[in-house]
Amino acid sequence: MFLFNACQLDETIYSSIYTEDFYKTAADAEKGLVAAYDPLADMYSGPAATLVPDFSDDQTYPRGVVGRNTLTLFTYDVNYTTQKTNSRTNESPQQIWSSGYDGIEKANWIIAKVPEATMDATRQKQIIGEAYFLRAFYQWTLTKNFGDVPIKTTPSYSQEEAIVGKSPKADVYKQIYADLDQALTAGLPSYPNVDKGRPSNEVVNALYAKAALYNEDWAKALEKAKAVINSGKYSLMPDVRDTYRYDKEDAARAENMWAFEVDPLTQTRSHQLTSLMGPTGSAAPEYAKTSYGSMFAYQSFFNSFNPIDKRRLLLDTTYIDKTGKTIAQKNITPITTDAVLIKKYQDPVSTVGMIPNIPILRLADMYLIAAEAEARLNGATGVAYDFINVIRKRAGLPDLATGLGKDAFIDAVIQERAWEFFAEGDRWYDLTRTGKFLTAIPKAVNSVYPVRTPTAKNKYFPIPQDEIYANPKLVQNPDWQ
């Protein structure tokens, strides 16, 4: 003990190797950009980016193992103790926080250093533009989960520069807008002349539209969503099921504008959604080679669909086992008799990792953003109806009933979003940004989760306590103090 008391634990932090020896050539710049995408893989391989919101919402729920039920029951704490105890940080808000700021830091190095690199000027500008896009995406992901968060726009050349306090959410969105404006001037290519997993110029506008929607900036959301739609570069898949098929991935990029691209040969570029959503014991060949029966949809959500809605075909209440026998719903899982299987991420062929990409921004989103923003600005106009009816037509549904008032129409759009984007990490944020989570969540119950009682503080997740310990300028969200 005396020896420990005599030790000096302070450490001098020297400049990073990146500031002295890197970002000097075109190859350095390209490698640095690849590194800035790596936190995206950390966020989506768990994938915390979808499981955190999906286990919290009123559509899907987990089998209550390895701490997943704390999200569904809103029993998590500021330490995310259960997730850490069960080695499931990769499925927790803590992963979103750490990946988000890891990505921002790497993007900051590119923005600061690549302008000095010796390389082709056009490609140099594009790389910097992609970095601005990624920084905006990471910052948006952070604020939709945690509210007021630190804004970090310079690299951490020193320990002192790494310590930043929180900014109001309004200022966070100003920075997101500024970064996306920079990305739009970078000369990024348009689809289809874009590398897999990279943002096209239209994708920048798509993120702009969605960020503006969450910021309640209806005019900007409408402007940017229409810019994507009117570009004519993307189109909806005629059959909504093909948007997710493992063997139609390339064709589906016409709608899946930007996705977490999976490399089935590299485990760090995989994810576990496919194995979570199939039945236990790898029982159904059409779902996956290996599946655990760990994630299902609520029966109430399945029942909310019009039976003719083609999107309901992406859910199922039975499955065919390896012998060709149809297994009844009551036997899908031993934890409940009314589990509903999710079919968006099926992969019946892969033995190394999982092939299906996870959509992040889809063209369908642009139509529904435009419908909502138009209604928020001008009421339930014919233009607003036109936008939502494009999505309903693809689903095989009749046009939305005419004559709805403004609020009723907006509610219809939010419901349409629920049917369109389930299990894509979207619904929870629709509920929190509109304040509907307090009334919607208590109705999404079953025999596994018979009571669910979110409170106002659950609109945002608590900042991980580890981060507060590490950053003396960082304070916990008020509702979690």
Side-chain angles (χ1 to χ4, degrees), residues 312-354:
R312 199 175 78 158
L313 298 173
L314 291 164
L315 297 166
D316 213 337
T317 55
T318 64
Y319 71 86
I320 299 174
D321 71 9
K322 295 176 181 178
T323 69
K325 178 182 177 182
T326 298
I327 304 301
Q329 183 178 21
K330 64 184 179 65
N331 297 321
I332 286 176
T333 171
I335 66 172
T336 179
T337 58
D338 62 358
V340 178
L341 292 164
I342 303 164
K343 305 178 77 171
K344 279 193 171 180
Y345 301 99
Q346 289 179 307
D347 178 4
V349 300
S350 293
T351 57
V352 179
M354 299 299 172

Side-chain angles (χ1 to χ4, degrees), residues 68-290:
R68 291 174 181 142
N69 58 358
T70 66
L71 290 161
T72 308
L73 295 172
F74 305 99
T75 57
Y76 44 84
D77 58 34
V78 297
N79 289 297
Y80 298 106
T81 304
T82 305
Q83 282 84 357
K84 287 193 287 187
T85 300
N86 289 280
S87 300
R88 287 292 168 176
T89 301
N90 63 319
E91 297 178 2
S92 77
Q94 185 157 4
Q95 184 69 62
I96 293 174
W97 182 281
S98 60
S99 294
Y101 282 107
D102 182 20
I104 287 171
E105 181 70 15
K106 289 171 178 173
N108 283 341
W109 282 110
I110 294 168
I111 293 167
K113 302 300 292 183
V114 168
E116 303 169 9
T118 302
M119 62 181 299
D120 175 76
T122 298
R123 181 60 188 147
Q124 183 180 50
K125 188 176 181 180
Q126 289 176 340
I127 288 174
I128 297 168
E130 278 191 56
Y132 274 114
F133 170 83
L134 287 172
R135 190 168 76 180
F137 173 77
Y138 290 130
Q139 196 77 66
W140 174 66
T141 301
L142 288 160
T143 195
K144 72 180 181 179
N145 281 285
F146 300 100
D148 298 344
V149 294
I151 297 172
K152 188 77 166 55
T153 58
T154 58
S156 298
Y157 290 97
S158 66
Q159 184 179 19
E160 289 74 20
E161 290 172 292
I163 305 301
V164 180
K166 292 198 297 185
S167 294
K169 186 172 66 171
D171 290 341
V172 176
Y173 275 100
K174 286 179 183 178
Q175 186 61 53
I176 292 169
Y177 284 16
D179 285 352
L180 293 174
D181 285 336
Q182 290 286 343
L184 285 171
T185 66
L188 297 180
S190 291
Y191 180 80
N193 299 314
V194 61
D195 291 340
K196 296 176 182 180
R198 299 294 180 89
S200 66
N201 189 66
E202 296 77 30
V203 166
V204 178
N205 271 326
L207 179 57
Y208 215 142
K210 194 146 191 181
L213 183 79
Y214 282 39
N215 194 33
E216 299 186 357
D217 185 353
W218 315 125
K220 183 69 71 176
L222 180 60
E223 172 198 344
K224 296 300 183 179
K226 287 171 65 176
V228 177
I229 295 167
N230 294 337
S231 73
K233 299 296 183 180
Y234 293 89
S235 59
L236 297 177
M237 295 292 285
D239 187 334
V240 66
R241 292 172 295 179
D242 289 344
T243 308
Y244 309 96
R245 284 187 59 89
Y246 73 98
D247 55 353
K248 294 195 175 181
E249 188 173 271
D250 287 333
R253 286 192 179 87
E255 176 172 344
N256 287 333
M257 302 172 63
W258 192 52
F260 170 55
E261 290 278 343
V262 178
D263 177 356
L265 298 180
T266 306
Q267 289 296 311
T268 56
R269 289 289 182 263
S270 187
H271 63 76
Q272 60 173 333
L273 285 181
T274 302
S275 58
L276 294 182
M277 292 179 180
T280 58
S282 309
E286 71 171 320
Y287 281 82
K289 291 286 188 182
T290 303

Side-chain angles (χ1 to χ4, degrees), residues 315-471:
L315 297 166
D316 213 337
T317 55
T318 64
Y319 71 86
I320 299 174
D321 71 9
K322 295 176 181 178
T323 69
K325 178 182 177 182
T326 298
I327 304 301
Q329 183 178 21
K330 64 184 179 65
N331 297 321
I332 286 176
T333 171
I335 66 172
T336 179
T337 58
D338 62 358
V340 178
L341 292 164
I342 303 164
K343 305 178 77 171
K344 279 193 171 180
Y345 301 99
Q346 289 179 307
D347 178 4
V349 300
S350 293
T351 57
V352 179
M354 299 299 172
I355 287 178
N357 292 341
I358 300 176
I360 301 176
L361 291 167
R362 289 205 279 125
L363 181 64
D365 208 351
M366 299 302 103
Y367 282 102
L368 294 179
I369 288 173
E372 182 178 344
E374 169 68 20
R376 300 273 189 185
L377 289 168
N378 304 310
T381 64
V383 173
Y385 270 95
D386 287 345
F387 285 128
I388 192 173
N389 284 334
V390 169
I391 303 304
R392 291 178 63 84
K393 181 178 180 180
R394 198 263 296 267
L397 296 175
D399 288 350
L400 185 65
T402 58
L404 295 178
K406 177 179 178 178
D407 291 344
F409 181 89
I410 292 170
D411 285 345
V413 175
I414 300 300
Q415 180 59 64
E416 203 70 44
R417 294 184 62 85
W419 292 324
E420 184 69 29
F421 302 115
F422 71 87
E424 295 181 39
D426 192 80
R427 171 67 170 175
W428 173 246
Y429 306 114
D430 279 343
L431 293 175
T432 55
R433 70 180 177 86
T434 60
K436 294 178 181 292
F437 72 102
L438 290 173
T439 54
I441 296 301
K443 298 174 185 176
V445 294
N446 58 14
S447 59
V448 185
Y449 300 103
V451 178
R452 300 179 65 209
T453 53
T455 61
K457 73 177 184 180
N458 296 118
K459 179 175 182 178
Y460 295 115
F461 295 101
I463 295 172
Q465 189 63 41
D466 290 347
E467 302 296 335
I468 294 174
Y469 289 147
N471 181 351

